[in-house]
Amino acid sequence: MGERVKIAVSPSIQVGGNIFTQEQFSKIGSIGGMDVKIEMTPFRQLYMDIPIDQRDHTEEELKKIGLEVYPVGSVTKSLIVCNFCKGGETAGLETARALNEVISGIETPTPLKIGYAGCAIGTSEPLLKDIGVVKMRDTFDIYVGGEPKGIKTRIAKLLISGLTADRLAPVITAIINYYKANAKAKEKFSKFIDRVTIEQLQKLSS
């Protein structure tokens, strides 16, 4: 069969949430041929298992129809967003898109999930993510250390509040880089937070 590789595919961040068009679904279903395997993940991505020699062509064709393509494995996943039910401008749609462009696909010790909610209703469940962003009127709060799996789930803790939009990406990037530099082997982010403490991470955002 030849060597195969997985790629992650998702729709663009938009009002209404994770919306695929008919054209996009048709392309996803046909582009890899009869042997393509498609997996739905819990972090707003479809995994496509394709022949490695078709990777470049497949990614190009998917991007042509407005889909986003990311690496798989131990990386920061594409931003897990809400449905922007209060409207794109009120909920910070462009801020979410800009953040996603900066943080997605960064190699990390373990897969890192980052959630974004445009208001305190939090339909994207940002407090169950490794890093959660919540828009509060005109500023943003960042939470860290959420854990949705297992019998000992945990809610993320508030790291910093009142961030302006222009500070959001630099602060989250600093957190990711600190995790990369100081994690022990494949240390989960929630355990990393417990070890280095919230107080230490707060110094990165000052």
Side-chain angles (χ1 to χ4, degrees):
M1 292 180 59
E3 190 174 357
R4 303 182 71 85
V5 66
K6 284 186 178 181
I7 59 173
V9 180
S10 68
S12 62
I13 293 175
Q14 58 195 293
V15 173
N18 305 325
I19 299 173
F20 290 89
T21 66
Q22 182 180 8
E23 178 189 16
Q24 289 169 342
F25 261 137
S26 295
K27 177 65 74 172
I28 290 170
S30 65
I31 194 168
M34 295 298 293
D35 293 331
V36 68
K37 295 179 181 178
I38 303 172
E39 173 190 354
M40 172 63 76
T41 72
F43 33 82
R44 191 185 163 266
Q45 293 179 340
L46 297 177
Y47 277 2
M48 292 182 65
D49 178 75
I50 59 175
I52 195 168
D53 60 358
Q54 295 181 20
R55 179 172 186 165
D56 291 344
H57 172 72
T58 299
E59 291 189 4
E60 181 181 344
E61 290 299 303
L62 293 172
K63 289 177 180 178
K64 280 182 181 178
I65 55 173
L67 292 168
E68 299 174 354
V69 183
Y70 302 100
V72 304
S74 293
V75 297
T76 52
K77 304 305 180 181
S78 54
L79 196 64
I80 302 166
V81 298
C82 62
N83 289 342
F84 297 95
C85 58
K86 294 182 178 295
E89 184 173 351
T90 299
L93 175 62
E94 293 305 321
T95 299
R97 286 175 174 169
L99 178 61
N100 180 63
E101 188 172 337
V102 171
I103 59 91
S104 295
I106 299 173
E107 290 188 10
T108 46
T110 62
L112 205 63
K113 296 177 287 294
I114 302 176
Y116 177 97
C119 70
I121 295 174
T123 55
S124 57
E125 301 179 336
L127 270 61
L128 291 176
K129 306 299 187 289
D130 295 300
I131 301 173
V133 178
V134 181
K135 188 175 188 292
M136 302 293 288
R137 295 187 179 179
D138 296 325
T139 60
F140 299 84
D141 295 350
I142 296 179
Y143 295 79
V144 293
E147 177 56 69
K149 295 186 295 185
I151 61 173
K152 294 183 178 180
T153 57
R154 54 187 283 178
I155 301 298
K157 298 177 181 178
L158 180 64
L159 177 70
I160 185 171
S161 61
L163 273 184
T164 54
D166 63 303
R167 290 288 299 144
L168 199 55
V171 169
I172 292 179
T173 301
I175 295 169
I176 295 170
N177 288 338
Y178 188 78
Y179 172 50
K180 290 176 60 176
N182 295 281
K184 294 181 177 179
K186 294 186 178 296
E187 185 177 26
K188 292 180 64 174
F189 189 74
S190 57
K191 292 184 177 180
F192 173 76
I193 295 297
D194 290 340
R195 181 169 62 82
V196 303
T197 74
I198 289 284
E199 291 73 21
Q200 181 62 35
L201 284 186
Q202 285 173 335
K203 296 177 182 179
L204 302 175
S205 56
S206 60

